[in-house]
Amino acid sequence: MANNLINLDLLRAESQKVKFLGKEFEVGYIPSGLAIPLIENHNKNIKEQKETDSPEKLLKENIKSVSLFCSFYEPDFTEEFLSKYASDKQIEQMYLLIVTAIVKNFSAAVSNDDSESSTSVEKKTTGENW
């Protein structure tokens, strides 16, 4: 009988770590149990944001998202802790890294879900070729 091993570990993104307020966080691979609430929170924020929102309100939303991510690994990283010890630029950059990692992981999973060989680079077409 042939060995038909399906290696789902290949769907896991490469490790990428970031040092933030003295702690290391893995942002290359974010488990779905954390990624789903983060994306839901991100989508909610985008939907509810208005052009007239103050920079302080937007920063507060980013702090909430970063806290959601960080406190999954480090319970002390509460919104209050981040507001006190992290700069605006640190919060913005960390938030960007988190969202980008989730999007990259999702994009990689979608492209690996292709029913054709992953080595094929031909565009799928329907109808006649011109």
Side-chain angles (χ1 to χ4, degrees):
M1 182 178 217
N3 183 6
N4 292 324
L5 175 67
I6 298 172
N7 188 356
L8 296 180
D9 289 342
L10 294 175
L11 297 176
R12 190 173 178 149
E14 276 188 49
S15 176
Q16 180 184 358
K17 295 184 180 181
V18 62
K19 190 169 186 177
F20 179 56
L21 299 179
K23 301 286 183 178
E24 265 189 23
F25 293 94
E26 174 64 55
V27 295
Y29 167 74
I30 301 175
S32 61
L34 178 55
I36 292 169
L38 282 167
I39 287 299
E40 287 175 347
N41 185 58
H42 173 75
N43 290 339
K44 177 182 163 275
N45 289 343
I46 296 296
K47 185 177 180 181
E48 294 175 358
Q49 284 177 356
K50 300 176 181 82
E51 287 186 33
T52 57
D53 285 348
S54 69
E56 293 80 18
K57 181 180 183 294
L58 299 175
L59 178 62
K60 188 174 180 178
E61 290 172 355
N62 287 351
I63 288 172
K64 182 178 180 178
S65 295
V66 172
S67 174
L68 180 63
F69 172 80
C70 292
S71 65
F72 185 82
Y73 301 103
E74 296 286 339
D76 295 338
F77 276 60
T78 62
E79 291 177 50
E80 183 179 311
F81 176 84
L82 293 176
S83 296
K84 187 173 182 179
Y85 294 108
S87 72
D88 299 358
K89 292 199 182 303
Q90 285 176 305
I91 293 293
E92 289 173 18
Q93 189 61 42
M94 187 65 169
Y95 181 69
L96 182 62
L97 284 169
I98 294 165
V99 172
T100 302
I102 293 169
V103 170
K104 281 183 181 177
N105 286 338
F106 177 74
S107 299
V110 169
S111 67
N112 284 333
D113 194 29
D114 192 353
S115 60
E116 292 183 18
S117 169
S118 61
T119 58
S120 173
V121 292
E122 290 183 30
K123 182 178 177 182
K124 291 182 181 179
T125 59
T126 58
E128 293 182 23
N129 289 334
W130 297 89

